[in-house]
Amino acid sequence: TQLLEQSPQFLSIQEGENLTVYCNSSSVFSSLQWYRQEPGEGPVLLVTVVTGGEVKKLKRLTFQFGDARKDSSLHITAAQTGDTGLYLCAGPLMYSGGGADGLTFGKGTHLIIQP
Amino acid sequence: DTEVTQTPKHLVMGMTNKKSLKCEQHMGHRAMYWYKQKAKKPPELMFVYSYEKLSINESVPSRFSPECPNSSLLNLHLHALQPEDSALYLCASSQDLGGTRPQHFGDGTRLSIL
């Protein structure tokens, strides 16, 4: 079973603060993706990390893939109210034939940035 | 605006009704997916289509019946649903199968079963 444990599940902070969201698993993933979902909309891809130890930056967002490819983190610097949303980490579902079809998601982090 | 279009946006139906959810993409993607998302929960995979053939059925009850008429369209036929089936149903597509491919999601159909 490929489970992704995400923490924290809920986070409410003031604008301008920094935060980190964690995504952990006991399984090795070939890649991990981070999505952001706003109410009434579908998830939107933020980043895909593929290589162990990889760090990717997207403006104020920094994504890291663990060396062993079992964990990832999302760090937001100087959070803004527009960052409010549900952040989801996701990895490919592996099947017995070795193929990767579809995604398994972590439980998500509900992030609220207060003005 | 999302490149994956889902209709209708909202659907209310009784337990004896038959209805269909529709999903359309024109990005030339060859893999399409149905996910179910309950409130405050992450999406859960239901079905995967690859090159218009059903690739994965995640043990979904037969009251949900997927159909892929062509490479751009994906339908989900609903019959005799239960109240616990009320959820947001998300369609997604990707260029093809493979874990690194980004999935493009529609905005979903919010389904309520009376």
Side-chain angles (χ1 to χ4, degrees):
Chain A
T1 305
Q2 303 157 273
L3 285 177
L4 287 166
E5 300 289 340
Q6 215 175 313
S7 62
Q9 287 195 34
F10 298 93
L11 183 59
S12 179
I13 63 172
Q14 295 295 123
E15 198 168 25
E17 294 184 12
N18 301 334
L19 66 109
T20 301
V21 177
Y22 300 93
C23 179
N24 298 299
S25 176
S26 58
S27 303
V28 175
F29 281 86
S30 57
S31 64
L32 283 178
Q33 297 179 335
W34 286 91
Y35 289 81
R36 178 166 165 249
Q37 185 176 21
E38 298 193 56
E41 298 182 6
V44 175
L45 179 70
L46 296 174
V47 78
T48 301
V49 286
V50 179
T51 306
E54 183 177 8
V55 176
K56 282 191 173 178
K57 288 182 186 275
L58 185 65
K59 296 184 182 177
R60 293 174 295 99
L61 278 58
T62 301
F63 303 86
Q64 190 160 5
F65 199 14
D67 291 340
R69 291 185 287 131
K70 291 184 178 181
D71 57 272
S72 180
S73 64
L74 157 60
H75 182 79
I76 301 180
T77 304
Q80 300 177 356
T81 55
D83 296 327
T84 293
L86 174 64
Y87 288 81
L88 295 156
C89 69
L93 274 165
M94 300 300 295
Y95 293 90
S96 57
D101 304 341
L103 293 172
T104 181
F105 287 85
K107 289 188 188 296
T109 295
H110 296 265
L111 177 63
I112 296 174
I113 309 300
Q114 314 259 15
Chain B
D1 287 340
T2 182
E3 295 166 307
V4 176
T5 304
Q6 289 188 245
T7 55
K9 288 192 181 301
H10 302 274
L11 179 62
V12 180
M13 58 187 286
M15 289 190 282
T16 58
N17 292 157
K18 285 185 181 181
K19 296 285 184 184
S20 297
L21 309 185
K22 296 186 184 302
C23 174
E24 191 168 0
Q25 58 88 13
H26 294 288
M27 294 178 282
H29 289 175
R30 303 317 298 264
M32 295 186 77
Y33 313 81
W34 281 114
Y35 290 85
K36 174 183 178 181
Q37 186 176 24
K38 301 283 277 185
K40 304 292 187 186
K41 300 292 185 185
E44 293 181 353
L45 184 67
M46 299 175 72
F47 302 105
V48 180
Y49 271 83
S50 175
Y51 290 83
E52 299 154 52
K53 292 193 187 321
L54 184 63
S55 170
I56 295 291
N57 174 342
E58 282 284 319
S59 303
V60 179
S62 60
R63 56 186 185 268
F64 294 92
S65 175
E67 178 198 18
C68 190
N70 60 57
S71 60
S72 300
L73 293 174
L74 187 65
N75 298 322
L76 187 61
H77 303 298
L78 315 172
H79 175 53
L81 295 195
Q82 303 297 308
E84 61 265 28
D85 296 323
S86 297
L88 180 68
Y89 288 84
L90 292 163
C91 173
S93 70
S94 63
Q95 189 172 348
D96 50 38
L97 294 178
T100 61
R101 298 293 193 193
Q103 292 198 9
H104 297 255
F105 285 83
D107 287 337
T109 293
R110 188 159 299 281
L111 177 66
S112 297
I113 307 300
L114 300 179

